[in-house]
Amino acid sequence: MSAAVMDSYEAIQALHKSLPPFSPYVPASLLPSIALILLASTFALAFYFSTLPKDTFPLRETAVASLASVLGGFGVVALFCSVGVNV
């Protein structure tokens, strides 16, 4: 390797060692509770969605289904992170 590449690598390595360790915004101890709340809300909204009357203009259906989908997505990510699969 050339001297310029080694100097660049050593500078990056020194910078890496000087940075503070990563600390998440949400404590890992809260993730199971967050996952439970989000996934329970998803199932409740899915049940509500299935009982809605069919409208000609499905604005309410789309809103409920979209909210359930977003909550389900974040709930699954929180569940995975709580069991150690950091995504």
Side-chain angles (χ1 to χ4, degrees):
M1 292 185 152
S2 68
V5 172
M6 287 303 294
D7 290 340
S8 175
Y9 176 75
E10 290 170 357
I12 292 172
Q13 187 177 21
L15 178 63
H16 176 73
K17 288 181 180 179
S18 69
L19 292 174
F22 174 76
S23 63
Y25 292 121
V26 178
S29 62
L30 287 180
L31 287 175
S33 302
I34 292 172
L36 177 69
I37 291 168
L38 291 175
L39 291 175
S41 301
T42 299
F43 291 122
L45 284 173
F47 175 75
Y48 177 66
F49 174 77
S50 67
T51 60
L52 283 174
K54 304 300 179 216
D55 295 331
T56 56
F57 188 67
L59 181 64
R60 185 172 42 168
E61 294 173 6
T62 305
V64 170
S66 298
L67 181 60
S69 177
V70 169
L71 291 176
F74 282 113
V76 168
V77 169
L79 183 65
F80 278 7
C81 289
S82 70
V83 296
V85 181
N86 295 318
V87 290

